[in-house]
Amino acid sequence: MTELSNPRPPMKTASLTGQVYDAIAEMLLDGTLKPDSRTSIRELSEYLGVSAMPVREAIGRLVAQGALAIQRNKAVVVPPMTPEDLRDLVRTRVLLECEAARLAVDRIPDSAILRIRELHEQFSRELSANNRAAALTLNRRLHFTLYDAAESPSLRNLIAMSWLRAGPMISLDLGPHNAIERASHSVDAHAHLVAALQSRDREAAAKAIELDITTAAGIILEHLAHARESRT
């Protein structure tokens, strides 16, 4: 089931499809749409306060990007991801995001390093307080502050597309079912990243990002295995 009980304020007419796309993308990234989510164009239209047309167009874009799927009964779902699918996505993310980290070390201003450190500290506090929704948002802001500093629009766009597919799975890592000590691996990885940025160490920054991605993937794969066992 989804969490679409409280309708959003009506959207402006300009670039409506783009606004709807951004809103649904945010729902994928913040865990509102989870791997087992099932909704419809009508439900999304009512939730977003728009007509069906821009929702249908936005969903079409997200389906083409592999972030959503439409079933025969017209239900809109987050596509199920097998362990093999996840491993393939992880390999792609490591290639893209580690390279972005290397580029960012060469180009990032001191102010952005300070911002990443602040986001790391906020993330740590929210995770310790078990505020998982806030932690998910701060995690994404931290990563994309780094990737924006790489100053590579094409690389940044590819990473954003990968995150649309990864977002619902990331919620399995930082979500409420995980004990804090299990989810706190990102705190350690972010600390390594901050240290690498402060010392302008390209490979250490890339290694911190790789550690963050692969450790989370290991936890998610374990979760998928347990879910599969519980169904048998």
Side-chain angles (χ1 to χ4, degrees):
M1 297 295 294
T2 58
E3 300 173 6
L4 306 182
S5 56
N6 298 315
R8 292 165 52 106
M11 293 183 175
K12 298 178 181 178
T13 55
S15 304
L16 190 55
T17 298
Q19 292 181 65
V20 171
Y21 173 92
D22 291 343
I24 298 174
E26 183 69 18
M27 292 161 65
L28 287 163
L29 293 168
D30 69 11
T32 301
L33 292 176
K34 299 178 176 63
D36 59 350
S37 290
R38 180 185 299 269
T39 184
S40 66
I41 290 174
R42 179 179 177 180
E43 185 180 20
L44 287 167
S45 299
E46 292 174 353
Y47 174 66
L48 297 172
V50 298
S51 67
M53 182 60 71
V55 173
R56 188 175 291 108
E57 292 173 350
I59 288 174
R61 288 174 58 186
L62 289 161
V63 168
Q65 293 169 347
L68 290 175
I70 299 180
Q71 297 182 330
R72 289 183 179 179
N73 62 359
K74 305 300 183 181
V76 179
V77 299
V78 177
M81 190 173 291
T82 66
E84 292 73 22
D85 293 333
L86 179 59
R87 292 187 185 98
D88 182 57
L89 180 58
V90 166
R91 284 191 293 269
T92 300
R93 287 189 60 200
V94 167
L95 287 170
L96 296 173
E97 295 175 47
C98 289
E99 182 60 19
R102 294 185 185 95
L103 290 174
V105 167
D106 296 337
R107 301 168 182 178
I108 192 168
D110 290 342
S111 59
I113 296 176
L114 177 60
R115 179 58 179 155
I116 288 173
R117 189 178 73 183
E118 292 171 345
L119 288 166
H120 160 57
E121 292 169 352
Q122 293 171 27
F123 172 82
S124 300
R125 288 195 298 269
E126 296 294 351
L127 197 60
S128 295
N130 207 27
N131 295 327
R132 300 309 178 91
L136 273 169
T137 299
L138 290 164
N139 179 66
R140 188 169 79 253
R141 288 178 183 171
L142 184 152
H143 278 264
F144 279 90
T145 299
L146 177 71
Y147 305 147
D148 287 341
E151 298 180 355
S152 173
S154 59
L155 186 57
R156 204 268 191 199
N157 286 340
L158 290 170
I159 292 171
M161 288 177 61
S162 295
W163 271 64
L164 285 177
R165 294 187 62 210
M169 305 303 291
I170 292 172
S171 70
L172 296 180
D173 172 34
L174 295 178
H177 64 278
N178 257 351
I180 289 176
E181 60 269 19
R182 293 285 304 280
S184 64
H185 68 86
S186 282
V187 174
D188 296 333
H190 294 168
H192 291 314
L193 174 64
V194 170
L197 293 173
Q198 290 174 331
S199 62
R200 301 284 175 169
D201 188 329
R202 300 173 92 248
E203 292 308 316
K207 188 66 178 177
I209 291 297
E210 181 177 7
L211 177 67
D212 198 10
I213 295 170
T214 56
T215 305
I219 293 171
I220 295 167
L221 285 167
E222 185 177 334
H223 176 89
L224 292 176
H226 287 162
R228 189 165 56 249
E229 290 172 3
S230 67
R231 291 194 296 268
T232 59

